[in-house]
Amino acid sequence: MASASSTDTHSGNEAAGRLAAVRDAIARTAREEGRAPGDVTLVAVSKTFPADDILPVLEAGQRVFGENRVQEAKAKWPALRERYPDVELHLIGPLQSNKAREAVALFDVIHTVDRESLAAALAKEIPREEAATGRRPRLLVEVNTGLEPQKAGIAPAELGAFLARLRDHHGLKIEGLMCIPPADEPPSPHFALLAKLAHDHGLPLLSMGMSGDFEQAVMLGATHVRVGSAIFGHRPPL
Ligand SMILES: *Cc1c(COP(=O)(O)O)cnc(C)c1O
């Protein structure tokens, strides 16, 4: 047991050190671009990692976390939130319409609004949640900047009509855009496209950049970077 706990402490220290390095890199890049470091929110992506790996990152002061599955987040976060009530939880993975109620109850920000049936489910569940608890999640639309057939998200050319439909037909307030660039292309053109789309539509939040490219995303205006392995370490393939 003693060796197991010293191993845990060791890896916890490593995670805290990596967290500090990521924070420094974000702050440095923001300042170089003339932005305030506080304008960029680090979303620490804790998907696949158990509570024991998340605790050292909470202890190091991180409060904003991202998960990509409703069921996994529901299993891990209520207990962690009892100890850290000021945690902000972001859903960064695909959301099935039949999980909209659970997602709305659990998450503070949903980055992946990507089709009208999901928008309709959210439009039904958000007022219910707000009436019951006074809280409502903030919403971002996922954009498929690389037009990849296997990837979720709205095509850039369809974004204007989609946003109008969400606003006028479903009464949803969308605050920003999110993208995951194609794995085999330089990300910067995708980040620049997302930033232009957000600007054109008057949307303040820009969720872009992961472990390998968050600095480029900050250079191009990201307000939220989603960083997993650079903080938590290697993730076993799913
Ligand atoms: C897993 C994931 C991330 C984090 O990826 P890393 O490369 O580990 O930083 C960011 N965004 C989304 C949508 C993810 O699913």
Side-chain angles (χ1 to χ4, degrees):
M1 282 321 290
S3 69
S5 93
S6 78
T7 305
D8 288 348
T9 305
H10 183 58
S11 63
N13 285 341
E14 283 182 3
R18 287 189 295 249
L19 173 69
V22 170
R23 281 192 187 148
D24 284 351
I26 291 169
R28 186 180 346 104
T29 309
R31 272 193 225 94
E32 281 166 10
E33 296 298 315
R35 304 180 63 196
D39 289 352
V40 184
T41 299
L42 169 60
V43 181
V45 177
S46 49
K47 67 184 184 193
T48 79
F49 289 97
D52 282 351
D53 291 338
I54 300 173
L55 274 168
V57 177
L58 281 161
E59 281 157 16
Q62 177 67 21
R63 288 294 180 273
V64 183
F65 289 84
E67 292 279 347
N68 68 337
R69 292 185 179 181
V70 175
Q71 289 320 111
E72 184 187 342
K74 214 179 147 192
K76 286 190 319 204
W77 280 98
L80 290 167
R81 267 180 161 164
E82 276 184 30
R83 291 175 65 177
Y84 294 94
D86 55 342
V87 156
E88 188 179 298
L89 213 51
H90 292 233
L91 179 63
I92 61 167
L95 176 57
Q96 292 169 263
S97 299
N98 63 8
K99 301 238 173 73
R101 182 177 300 186
E102 290 171 289
V104 162
L106 192 58
F107 290 98
D108 302 291
V109 185
I110 297 174
H111 291 227
T112 49
V113 180
D114 63 355
R115 58 197 192 282
E116 189 159 353
S117 57
L118 173 59
L122 290 169
K124 185 160 145 253
E125 298 302 338
I126 288 173
R128 187 198 302 264
E129 176 72 17
E130 195 168 23
T133 68
R135 50 172 296 285
R136 53 153 55 231
R138 308 178 80 181
L139 303 177
L140 287 74
V141 164
E142 181 172 355
V143 180
N144 189 353
T145 57
L147 296 173
E148 295 174 281
Q150 82 287 7
K151 209 169 258 180
I154 301 296
E158 285 153 26
L159 181 63
F162 185 69
L163 290 170
R165 184 111 182 113
L166 264 44
R167 181 187 63 229
D168 300 336
H169 187 75
H170 298 286
L172 286 179
K173 181 180 179 198
I174 298 297
E175 296 187 56
L177 302 178
M178 175 269 214
C179 77
I180 308 170
D184 56 354
E185 289 180 27
S188 285
H190 296 273
F191 296 157
L193 172 59
L194 198 72
K196 180 185 180 333
L197 291 168
H199 177 264
D200 290 350
H201 292 288
L203 301 171
L205 304 187
L206 261 182
S207 166
M208 56 191 199
M210 317 200 325
S211 289
D213 53 23
F214 66 87
E215 286 157 300
Q216 291 164 75
V218 171
M219 290 200 277
L220 290 163
T223 62
H224 291 72
V225 292
R226 311 177 308 264
V227 180
S229 45
I231 297 168
F232 289 98
H234 178 67
R235 224 172 17 243
L238 295 177

